Amino acid sequence: MSAIDNMSSVRSDLIEKVTGRAEYVTDLTVPGMLHGFVVRSPAVHARIASIDSRVARAMDGVVDVLIGEDVASFGNWGVVLKDRPIIATDRVRYVGEPVAVVIAETIEIAENAAELVDVEYDDLPRATTIQEALAEEAPLIHERHENLEDFYFKGGARPTQNSNIFHTYRNNVGDVDAAEAAAAYIHEDRFTFPAISHFAMEPHAVIADFQGDSLTVWAGAQTPTAVQKVLSRLYGLQLAKVRVIVPFVGGGFGGKASVKIEPLVAAASWKVQRPVRVAQSMTESMLTCRRLGADITIRTALDAKGRILAKSAKLLLDGGAYSDTGSAVATKSANRIMGPYVVPNLRLEACAVYTNTVPGAAFRSIGGPQAVWAKESHMDNVAAAIGMDPSEFRLLNLASRGERIPPRFAGARYGYERADRPGDPVVRIGGEGLQPAGVRTGSRRNRSGQYADQQRDRTSQDRRVDPSFGLQH
């Protein structure tokens, strides 16, 4: 076997990628293909007073311009809540929301003509943070909610009417109030987590070819069946008439999961009845989706020996202007904030909140980083407050093999074996052998080698994430 054959047996796409022969969406050409460039809103929250595309349409090489009124009859789409128009119609809800697509013979012509599309806006009150969106006088970003049950995830969102909360998840086990009344010590922390761009090497790119009652889409989609399902329902096509082709994907990390710009590009093709390609820049992809930011408050009650008696957590997730998968992120964040610890009494509440910002989306362990970072930082703080080594504190409260963890997870068993004594220096993990205690606890040391939290005041901390590294400081 040659060296090349041996490499190919390890990874089938290796040779294509290292030699540059691998084809991504932007490498593809469809006969008769036009190019689209998206005109985006500079306004945070505003009514669209008027759109004048006549000058752009008159430019040589421009085939047409798609605006909201062209496709308003198709209605809204979504994967949990149908809250998103194909393109903005009466108002925009965040900076970067598409308001027009210029369709031309070349991308250069389309981009130049986009400068000639004149859009006038009437500003509306805005809510760009969770706190602003939850305030009593906050403007409603969406007045109504159309729920989709069992469409993308099992179940659906649980919005609160006449508010910006588009999903609430609660789970209570035991009696937290009674446990806190009997506790020897109670500690509470608040953590904030920023919205972060996925920043895949390949920005979002889609080619759509709408021909009569059939539609073919080429996209770097992580969930092509979701794209097929949304397009089928949105445009009234038989599912078998919608074909989604996924070539190599240049990174996704959740930013190309569910459905993103496919409905918009399909609409452009529908308008001109020719294939249309939209290939976004990195900046445009950053205006398409991002990880949900979070504001998390955790409270833990302990007995005199340091065992957890109760835990309560309230998670507020910044879902941006449209729901996307934000409801699932909120629910999964709540369930992951318990960790592998025994918590006999538990109170969880997670809310996904609309804000006038870029829509939130799944991002690498949906809901996990926000919750796990907060939870493990809180465990460090609690340990420091009671004068216990953070690893010993975790071992003391770690669930035993086969021990079920609330809230009544079906089969939610972790492969951990708690040491018989809190001071035991090892913990068996998943039957893989012995590992040093703390290996998987999330404890951090500073440059001097000391536990960072032991240098802090043993009080509640409001700590923020460094967006450059995703580490707390």
Side-chain angles (χ1 to χ4, degrees), residues 443-462:
S443 300
R444 304 125 13 252
R445 294 180 184 272
N446 59 22
R447 292 185 179 88
S448 67
Q450 297 174 296
Y451 281 100
D453 288 306
Q454 291 176 347
Q455 294 183 314
R456 299 176 180 274
D457 293 335
R458 293 177 181 176
T459 58
S460 177
Q461 303 282 342
D462 180 0

Side-chain angles (χ1 to χ4, degrees), residues 93 98 310 397 458:
R93 293 176 170 87
N397 290 286
R458 293 177 181 176

Side-chain angles (χ1 to χ4, degrees), residues 9 19 27 33 56 80 83 91-92 126-127 139 172 179 182 194 209 250 262 287 356 359 376 383 395 433 461:
S9 67
T19 59
D27 296 314
M33 184 175 74
V80 180
D83 59 359
R91 64 168 158 164
V92 293
R126 64 184 66 175
N172 299 314
D209 186 9
E262 292 87 357
L287 293 172
N356 290 122
E376 291 301 333
L395 289 170
Q461 303 282 342

Side-chain angles (χ1 to χ4, degrees), residues 25-26 34-38 40 101-102 107 204-208 261 264-265 268 276-280 284:
V25 174
T26 49
L34 301 171
H35 298 264
F37 190 84
V38 179
R40 298 178 182 274
V101 180
V102 177
I107 184 59
H204 298 85
V206 173
I207 300 172
I261 66 171
L264 177 63
V265 185
V276 175
R277 185 183 83 163
V278 172
Q280 297 193 150
E284 290 173 306

